[in-house]
Amino acid sequence: MTASEEAPTRIGRYRWVICALLFFALTINYVDRQVLGVLKPYLETELGWSETDYADIVFWFQAAYALSLLCFGRVMDWIGTRWGLAVAITVWSLAAVFHAGARTAIQFSVVRFVLGLGEAGVFPAAVKTVSEWFPKKERALATGIFNAGSNVGALVTPILVPLIVISLGWQWAFIITGASGFVLLAVWLIVYRRPHEHPRLGAAERAHIESDPADPPGKVGWGVVIRKRETWAFLLGKFITDPVWWLFLFWLPDFFAKTYDLNILTFGPPLVIVYLLADVGSVGGGWLSSRLIKNGWSINRSRKTTMLICALAVTPISIAVFAHSLPIAVALIGLAAAAHQGWSANMYTLVSDVFPRRAVATVVGFGAAGGAVGGMFISKFAGWTLETTGSYVPLLAFAGGAYLLALLVIHLLTPRLEPVTLPPEPA
């Protein structure tokens, strides 16, 4: 084989460097939001919180998250991901550090609200970046990889935070983790550019990235996006299933503490196992649908088949509360966490499958805001349920059926995943 025959296969791999940047952004983002969940059993005793107090603190984070997602989606499509994500990182890192000065539930609610405003920028930025840096056949895998950062963040936190608390006190857990965001900010601004502006990107790889048909020029207005069924399919799918992930992030340490008598020093290993499995699910879910497409399946069939597998894998979590041993409970919850992340990788990819790149961040922001609103409802429901019954049974029962319901809704609204044609926004 001649050199000229080999050349087309050497398309370069710099797009995966960009994917790695997104992975670390998600990791730090989730460390900052997860610190409070890990400290919940400790701070309830230290600061005298009730279940309702904690639920209210989580509620205000999610309210800000939902509100900010609506804005950040438009911001990312307007000013681009380089500066849009830089603003988000700055806001959430400052808010994370300021947790160290809070003492009352109201003060924690305020800093969590600001944290939510900043953290909402990461997913619209990441999904839009993938839509710009990867062709459609690679997007689910790339999304699965960067989304795995959320699991790494969630598993690093229960290892790191207890060590900081024991050595320096709980305030330093917020200071140290929050400060890591400024390191990320510097690297992001140094490394990131769009593909057509990046000096490190070769011609062959640029051609590979741009191998899909070009999008028409112009901006996309809210009035156009919200009239599309595909937008509402994504929003309702997030609204129904995202609350399950919020339960994992903010109540799983408490579940292990109260059900199996673990504490801040001992619930770390179970949480690590759960989020390691979630990492496998995130990459595996993205890999499976991408593999099916490469094998000739349609985008519609490959995405929905993968999502059905994930939805069925979540259902056993309903009986986790009745498990007689900790390993069985960890296995059931870990399977559900893996399935959720595989589901999520494909959910985000649905947007870039059907919408032009110029609308991706707007639609993701709109739909993810729906997921955050669902999280607001589940936080209130969790607080009320645990305050009145002390049982996780209703919460896990909801989790077990949520994904099948969401898939049904998505399929009814979008029986075939076909490209959406959007006119430019009127001047």
Side-chain angles (χ1 to χ4, degrees):
M1 183 176 292
T2 66
S4 61
E5 291 174 324
E6 291 180 358
T9 64
R10 297 175 181 173
I11 59 175
R13 297 180 178 274
Y14 198 80
R15 64 196 183 281
W16 297 107
V17 173
I18 301 301
C19 188
L21 268 180
L22 299 176
F23 172 89
F24 288 113
L26 263 292
T27 298
I28 294 174
N29 182 282
Y30 267 74
V31 167
D32 288 342
R33 78 175 64 178
Q34 178 72 351
V35 171
L36 185 67
V38 172
L39 289 177
K40 177 184 183 286
Y42 181 86
L43 292 180
E44 279 182 333
T45 301
E46 185 79 8
L47 302 179
W49 291 347
S50 67
E51 292 287 356
T52 302
D53 289 334
Y54 179 74
D56 287 342
I57 293 169
V58 173
F59 175 90
W60 286 112
F61 169 85
Q62 291 162 326
Y65 198 78
L67 177 65
S68 186
L69 277 165
L70 294 174
C71 301
F72 259 122
R74 293 291 284 159
V75 167
M76 296 300 171
D77 283 332
W78 177 40
I79 68 174
T81 53
R82 183 170 185 256
W83 290 108
L85 185 56
V87 170
I89 294 169
T90 301
V91 172
W92 97 55
S93 298
L94 286 172
V97 172
F98 287 161
H99 279 64
R103 293 297 180 271
T104 67
I106 293 176
Q107 291 170 344
F108 268 94
S109 295
V110 171
V111 292
R112 292 302 283 185
F113 188 88
V114 179
L115 183 73
L117 292 178
E119 290 212 332
V122 71
F123 273 107
V127 176
K128 183 176 178 65
T129 298
V130 166
S131 75
E132 292 175 338
W133 273 87
F134 291 85
K136 286 185 177 181
K137 62 186 177 182
E138 294 179 344
R139 288 179 192 168
L141 178 58
T143 302
I145 291 172
F146 85 65
N147 194 43
S150 62
N151 309 316
V152 172
L155 70 87
V156 165
T157 311
I159 298 173
L160 178 64
V161 168
L163 297 176
I164 298 174
V165 171
I166 292 171
S167 302
L168 301 171
W170 65 264
Q171 293 91 341
W172 281 96
F174 291 109
I175 294 171
I176 292 173
T177 56
S180 65
F182 295 105
V183 178
L184 169 66
L185 175 64
V187 175
W188 174 257
L189 289 175
I190 291 169
V191 173
Y192 186 78
R193 300 290 188 280
R194 289 182 295 177
H196 68 275
E197 301 170 340
H198 212 294
R200 298 287 302 275
L201 189 65
E205 187 170 11
R206 183 177 289 109
H208 175 73
I209 292 169
E210 298 173 351
S211 59
D212 294 325
D215 292 338
K219 298 179 181 178
V220 178
W222 273 113
V224 175
V225 167
I226 64 175
R227 290 198 296 267
K228 297 298 181 180
R229 290 184 303 165
E230 291 81 2
T231 301
W232 289 97
F234 179 68
L235 183 147
L236 292 174
K238 297 287 286 179
F239 176 80
I240 296 169
T241 60
D242 271 17
V244 179
W245 189 245
W246 293 119
L247 280 175
F248 290 162
L249 289 180
F250 295 132
W251 273 274
L252 195 54
D254 184 71
F255 171 79
F256 286 133
K258 292 180 177 175
T259 307
Y260 297 99
D261 198 28
L262 304 183
N263 56 43
I264 194 172
L265 297 177
T266 56
F267 59 53
L271 290 174
V272 168
I273 293 171
V274 167
Y275 291 116
L276 279 174
L277 292 172
D279 259 335
V280 174
S282 182
V283 178
W287 173 86
L288 178 59
S289 64
S290 295
R291 182 68 179 178
L292 293 175
I293 291 172
K294 289 182 179 180
N295 287 345
W297 288 36
S298 68
I299 290 176
N300 182 65
R301 185 184 177 194
S302 63
R303 301 285 191 241
K304 291 179 180 176
T305 297
T306 303
M307 292 169 74
L308 176 60
I309 293 170
C310 293
L312 291 172
V314 177
T315 56
I317 197 176
S318 301
I319 61 172
V321 73
F322 302 110
H324 295 298
S325 69
L326 178 61
I328 294 175
V330 170
L332 293 173
I333 296 170
L335 176 63
H340 170 88
Q341 291 296 67
W343 166 280
S344 185
N346 284 275
M347 273 289 294
Y348 280 114
T349 308
L350 291 182
V351 178
S352 58
D353 285 336
V354 299
F355 283 94
R357 294 180 182 90
R358 60 197 170 100
V360 166
T362 298
V363 176
V364 167
F366 185 61
V373 171
M376 293 165 63
F377 282 109
I378 202 65
S379 66
K380 286 292 189 180
F381 180 57
W384 175 81
T385 299
L386 296 174
E387 193 82 54
T388 56
T389 70
S391 173
Y392 276 89
V393 172
L395 300 173
L396 296 184
F398 160 75
Y403 296 81
L404 290 172
L405 174 61
L407 183 58
L408 175 62
V409 171
I410 291 168
H411 184 67
L412 290 175
L413 287 172
T414 56
R416 287 187 282 281
L417 296 173
E418 298 175 337
V420 174
T421 301
L422 298 177
E425 185 174 21

